[in-house]
């Protein structure tokens, strides 16, 4: 958590118009790795169950223009809640990023993603699976023409459609188990083929 705060402070302290290494460009292949602070809220129609923790996110994508990028990614976090105990929250996603402030070192962006979610616990053979939509925004500051420090906040929500207990798998009504999630991420984005 301390690393996330230090990176965010550095990113926010950089002047918006500064271009120490020339103009940035978000076209082409990109690779992204970030540390996440993850929050989850499970709602089982009776009582919500909040959990918090940390994890890692990885993305790979392609910028088709300075404005538009498609990406795929995975994220995983270990979260802990009073009602739920400790469990893993993992996701795969496909999304789109819209980047603004073309040609500048400081590049704000918006993104939207479809996410497949799985929650599982080590001590019991129990899993929940479902789908979600996430939206967010962030800032990328290019410290060189090919590398940017990235900080983002993403929120989303969805519904579970499958619960598995041991070898027994049950389809559940979509309204029975809804969830929300929030992620604050700090990481690096690289454009290796410049």
């Amino acid at each position: 958590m301390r690393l996330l705060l230090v990176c965010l402070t550095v990113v926010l302290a950089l002047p918006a118009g500064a271009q120490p290494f020339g103009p940035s460009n978000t076209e082409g292949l990109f690779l992204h790795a970030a540390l996440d602070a993850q929050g989850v809220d499970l709602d089982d129609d009776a009582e919500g169950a909040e959990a918090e923790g940390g994890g890692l996110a990885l993305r790979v994508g392609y910028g088709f223009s300075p404005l538009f990028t498609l990406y795929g990614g995975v994220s995983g976090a270990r979260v802990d809640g009073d009602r739920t105990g400790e469990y893993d929250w993992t996701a795969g996603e496909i999304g789109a990023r819209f980047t603004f402030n073309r040609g500048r070192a400081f590049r704000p962006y918006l993104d939207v993603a479809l996410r497949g979610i799985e929650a599982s616990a080590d001590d019991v053979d129990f899993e929940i699976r479902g789908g979600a939509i996430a939206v967010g925004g962030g800032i990328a500051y290019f410290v060189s023409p090919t590398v940017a420090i990235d900080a983002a906040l993403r929120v989303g929500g969805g519904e579970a459609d499958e619960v598995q207990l041991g070898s027994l798998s049950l389809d559940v009504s979509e309204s029975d188990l809804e969830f929300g999630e929030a992620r604050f991420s700090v990481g690096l984005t690289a454009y290796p083929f410049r």
Side-chain angles (χ1 to χ4, degrees), residues 7-86:
C7 289
L8 179 62
T9 302
V10 168
V11 169
L12 294 177
L14 297 170
Q19 295 188 55
F21 297 100
S24 65
N25 184 357
T26 56
E27 293 179 281
L29 178 72
F30 86 88
L31 306 172
H32 173 80
L35 297 175
D36 286 349
Q38 175 81 53
V40 177
D41 184 11
L42 296 174
D43 182 2
D44 59 4
D45 282 346
E47 192 176 332
E50 296 178 2
E52 297 176 347
L56 178 68
L58 302 171
R59 290 180 170 174
V60 62
Y62 193 86
F64 291 95
S65 74
L67 173 67
F68 180 69
T69 299
L70 285 178
Y71 66 84
V74 294
S75 64
R78 173 64 57 103
V79 296
D80 191 9
D82 291 339
R83 286 190 56 223
T84 59
E86 194 173 69

Side-chain angles (χ1 to χ4, degrees), residues 138-194:
I139 50 175
Y141 184 80
F142 280 81
V143 295
S144 79
T146 60
V147 177
I149 298 170
D150 191 300
L153 177 64
R154 296 176 178 89
V155 296
E159 300 168 334
D161 57 9
E162 184 179 358
V163 174
Q164 184 170 342
L165 182 57
S167 61
L168 178 63
S169 180
L170 302 170
D171 292 333
V172 295
S173 169
E174 292 181 351
S175 62
D176 286 345
L177 185 57
E178 297 176 341
F179 57 85
E181 63 173 334
R183 289 182 298 147
F184 175 70
S185 303
V186 174
L188 293 175
T189 302
Y191 293 82
F193 300 116
R194 292 260 165 83

